Amino acid sequence: MRQRWTDPAAIAAAIDRIRLLPLDALRRNWRAVFGRTPAAGLSKHLLGQMIAYRIQERAFGGLDRDSLTFLDSLARQSGSPRRQLKPGTVLLREYQGQRHTVTVGRDGFLWQGATYSSLSAIARAITGTAWSGPRFFALQGAGDARQPKRKSAADPKQGRPRSTSAGGRKGGRPAATVKHAPVHLETTSPA
């Protein structure tokens, strides 16, 4: 059994030494620490970070069982975690001066007397274009999607619509510029 370090200064010094190692020395160190060859695609920075974590883990202990279970469940999910809407939740969206009400049901989303399998299908029906339903209904948080770039006074081209030739799109029609009104969203959830 290996001896556990308990001196934080010695651990910090070992980590500092790791950061200074060249790539080939980091790979040798990895083999010594993990007992196998590192993946070819790992960068020098990532190799160093993972070795440093392992040193700290041996010294101070690893993650608790609940944290490991949570991380494992995240790793097994495909894509990002989806927001679960309870049946009975009502989504309101105003688009081009018309208010659209969608009710979440057990089997889908109810809009104008029809049930749809996804919010994206409803957004497409409302706008006539491909939309992300969660984005259209403002269900994505600020950190869930890329933020739009801000217009810059230094770059006059930024924010202008792209021009395309008549043959650049289906049907030979030029691209149209679409202006969207601000989103007015109200959600209610059953008690």
Side-chain angles (χ1 to χ4, degrees), residues 55-92:
I55 290 171
Q56 292 172 347
E57 182 182 42
R58 285 182 179 163
F60 304 118
L63 295 173
D64 62 6
R65 183 174 294 149
D66 290 339
S67 297
L68 289 172
T69 303
F70 174 72
L71 291 173
D72 186 52
S73 71
L74 286 179
R76 291 180 191 277
Q77 288 179 355
S78 61
S80 61
R82 294 175 49 142
R83 177 176 293 187
Q84 299 295 320
L85 298 173
K86 293 180 181 179
T89 300
V90 176
L91 304 173
L92 298 175

Side-chain angles (χ1 to χ4, degrees), residues 141-166:
D144 294 345
R146 283 186 65 196
Q147 295 296 317
K149 292 182 179 178
R150 295 177 185 230
K151 292 182 182 177
S152 167
D155 186 3
K157 291 182 182 179
Q158 194 173 20
R160 289 186 186 170
R162 291 186 215 151
S163 61
T164 60
S165 64

Side-chain angles (χ1 to χ4, degrees), residues 42-58:
L42 293 178
S43 68
K44 177 182 173 184
H45 175 74
L46 191 55
L47 286 168
Q49 289 289 343
M50 293 173 79
I51 293 169
Y53 176 80
R54 181 55 62 98
I55 290 171
Q56 292 172 347
E57 182 182 42
R58 285 182 179 163

Side-chain angles (χ1 to χ4, degrees), residues 166-185:
R169 292 180 53 117
K170 285 190 218 175
R173 295 176 300 192
T177 303
V178 178
K179 293 185 180 180
H180 299 286
V183 175
H184 300 285
L185 176 72

Side-chain angles (χ1 to χ4, degrees), residues 9 26 33 59 93-94 97 102 110 112 119 129 150 158 188:
L26 275 174
V33 170
R93 168 69 150 90
E94 188 174 311
V102 175
L110 184 65
Q112 292 187 342
L119 288 173
T129 60
R150 295 177 185 230
Q158 194 173 20
T188 60

Side-chain angles (χ1 to χ4, degrees), residues 104-139:
V104 179
R106 293 190 192 282
D107 301 326
F109 301 92
L110 184 65
W111 175 68
Q112 292 187 342
T115 301
Y116 291 79
S117 61
S118 71
L119 288 173
S120 295
I122 297 171
R124 189 172 20 261
I126 292 171
T127 64
T129 60
W131 265 84
S132 160
R135 177 175 279 177
F136 182 79
F137 287 98
L139 295 174

